[in-house]
Amino acid sequence: MSVDAPAQTPPPVRAAGPVRPGKLTEGPIGRTLLMFSLPILAGNMLQSLNGSVNAIWVGRLLGETALAATSNANLIMFLMMGVVFGVGMAATIMIGQAMGAGDLDRAKRAVGAGVGFFLVAAVVVGLGGYLLTPTMLGWLNTPAIAQPLAEDYLRVVFVSMPFMFLTTFLGMALRGGGDSRTPFIFMVVAVVLDIGLNPFLIAGIGPFPKLGIAGASMSTLIAQAISLTAMIAYIYGRKLDLRLKGPELRYLRPDGVLLRTMIMKGLPMGLQMLVISSSALIMISMVNGYGAETVAAYGVGAQIWTYVQMPAMAIGAAASSMAAQNVGAGRWDRVEKTAAAGVTINVLLTGALVILVYLVDHALLGVFLPGAPTTVAIAERINLAIVWSFIPFGVMFVLFGVVRATGAVTPPLIILAISLFGVRITMAMLLQPTLGEAAIWWSFPASMLVACALAALYYRYGGWRKAKMDPVISAQAEAQAPAAPLSRVKNVDQPAA
């Protein structure tokens, strides 16, 4: 009997006691969303800190050429991780909907399909990337002097891909099930190990071999491998609900319908990474035309923006998981309230950061640009134009997270493409002859306001509520009363009371 036909699907498997560490279909929405998003926010900050500290180690121990090599290699890694983001987000939504519906077996099928997919994808990407490293660096026009170092660094990165892919996916899967704390714990493990091992493996301190630039990526490989192993041990040691055991291990051979859904729904979300990165490359090429001081000012501004946008990204991811569970539960009243709470929390948190940046802007920029008053002045003008626009950006990101929770993944991609290419790049190109470099800076808020407006219009009038992700869960949700409370989920490891 096929599990993919709604009419033939057996009753959902219900699990024991509350699904740990808590369910997103119950309790106060605002507080639940905020507490769920905080570990995601902290994790994003840790990842940025990890990249910054590792860049400092490479720069101090190996010099500018090595730093340029890692910058080129990391761009390729960013694009590769887009695959994880897209398919992983699709799996997160499917898992969330299944857990909201109380169908633990369906959630485990999604976990198995995701793990099976990423095992194969990681091997293919890792092996292909290892062999094609020189070719890919050539596509980026990597400076000749940095090419050998970039090859050494990137090849080890590709060897670490299986660990990176699976660690990232398992973290996203757990968040789909309502657990944002466990992924954060093991992200801390990975970051601490990566930062700590970096100087030892680069410089060969103590018993460690001197690996040079390869040591920077080798520390990542070791950290990811240990973190993944520890996470799996924790999942099984604590008997978390989403673990696969016994006959369920057959789910690692992906169900055809589930896998196709993950890929087809994940592709538009992964393409968002390509849209963002390609537009960023075009914008930096425009900035390059105004000289080294402007480029430096823009680069420092971008470092600050990374942190300003973090609350929006964390709340958007949390809202997506929370909305997915409530979609699966048929709790559309909570879906709408999740969107409202997410927008409110984002405006408050991002707004507070924006005010803080404006208050300490000059001093903050001076930390990055000591003894460079002209560059600091340029950076202040850039921040004045751009920083406030992360508030509408956050509204857009939260609304995207909610509408994606139903399976509506293409409209956010289209809106993003319109705002970045149709508004930002077009405005910057057309107005530069009149406004000069200011056209570039003001194109950012213009594009974010347009994206926010389009996202709000789609949320209000679009057909996202009728979108479907998993046909089985969609059929179950449609059979429920729209506002019916979800029955408590029980653990399959223990008999029902």
Side-chain angles (χ1 to χ4, degrees), residues 31-44:
R31 182 179 181 278
T32 301
L33 180 62
L34 178 60
M35 298 307 295
F36 185 72
S37 66
L38 287 178
I40 303 175
L41 175 59
N44 291 342

Side-chain angles (χ1 to χ4, degrees), residues 22 132 138 161 252 263 377 400 439:
L132 296 174
M161 280 292 177
L252 292 173
I263 294 174
F400 279 179

Side-chain angles (χ1 to χ4, degrees), residues 263-332:
I263 294 174
M264 296 306 295
K265 295 290 187 179
L267 184 60
M269 290 187 279
L271 285 175
Q272 290 183 34
M273 304 283 278
L274 180 60
V275 169
I276 293 170
S277 58
S278 58
S279 67
L281 290 174
I282 295 172
M283 295 304 290
I284 192 64
S285 69
M286 295 185 198
V287 175
N288 286 338
Y290 291 93
E293 288 182 333
T294 301
V295 173
Y298 179 81
V300 170
Q303 288 286 329
I304 296 171
W305 307 336
T306 298
Y307 292 93
V308 175
Q309 68 185 348
M310 279 183 182
M313 298 180 72
I315 296 164
S320 188
S321 295
M322 190 168 183
Q325 287 204 10
N326 284 285
V327 167
R331 296 294 307 272
W332 286 96

Side-chain angles (χ1 to χ4, degrees), residues 3-250:
V3 296
D4 299 313
Q8 297 176 320
T9 302
V13 180
R14 309 231 175 224
V19 174
R20 294 176 296 268
K23 286 164 50 181
L24 304 179
T25 56
E26 300 173 350
I29 291 174
R31 182 179 181 278
T32 301
L33 180 62
L34 178 60
M35 298 307 295
F36 185 72
S37 66
L38 287 178
I40 303 175
L41 175 59
N44 291 342
M45 294 178 68
L46 270 179
Q47 286 183 317
S48 293
L49 177 65
N50 188 24
S52 299
V53 173
N54 287 348
I56 291 172
W57 284 128
V58 171
R60 286 184 174 272
L61 296 175
L62 298 175
E64 293 180 357
T65 302
L67 196 56
T70 60
S71 297
N72 279 268
N74 285 336
L75 181 57
I76 293 175
M77 185 172 67
F78 174 80
L79 294 174
M80 293 296 101
M81 293 304 290
V83 177
V84 179
F85 174 79
V87 178
M89 273 301 300
T92 297
I93 294 167
M94 296 175 77
I95 292 165
Q97 289 188 356
M99 294 297 278
D103 192 340
L104 183 57
D105 183 70
R106 194 66 178 174
K108 289 187 174 186
R109 289 175 185 272
V111 171
V115 171
F117 171 81
F118 282 114
L119 279 171
V120 175
V123 172
V124 172
V125 170
L127 181 60
Y130 186 92
L131 297 175
L132 296 174
T133 290
T135 302
M136 287 187 287
L137 290 171
W139 291 340
L140 291 178
N141 293 320
T142 304
I145 191 173
Q147 178 95 11
L149 292 173
E151 288 182 17
D152 292 343
Y153 178 85
L154 190 55
R155 280 197 163 118
V156 179
V157 167
F158 277 115
V159 173
S160 69
M161 280 292 177
F163 304 108
M164 295 172 67
F165 275 24
L166 288 174
T167 299
T168 302
F169 172 72
L170 286 180
M172 298 177 80
L174 289 171
R175 285 193 289 270
D179 180 359
S180 62
R181 294 192 297 272
T182 298
F184 171 69
I185 290 169
F186 292 99
M187 184 179 292
V188 172
V189 172
V191 168
V192 170
L193 286 172
D194 196 358
I195 291 176
L197 287 172
N198 236 295
F200 289 92
L201 291 172
I202 291 173
I205 299 172
F208 294 91
K210 185 177 181 179
L211 300 178
I213 194 169
S217 47
M218 182 62 71
S219 67
T220 300
L221 189 158
I222 294 171
Q224 291 290 329
I226 293 175
S227 178
L228 175 62
T229 303
M231 185 189 295
I232 293 173
Y234 180 87
I235 289 171
Y236 280 87
R238 294 295 299 272
K239 297 183 178 179
L240 299 189
D241 297 280
L242 289 176
R243 74 193 187 283
L244 303 181
K245 59 187 187 301
E248 295 168 347
L249 291 172
R250 72 181 186 275

Side-chain angles (χ1 to χ4, degrees), residues 337-349:
K337 292 176 182 176
T338 296
V343 167
T344 302
I345 294 170
N346 165 74
V347 169
L348 292 174
L349 291 183

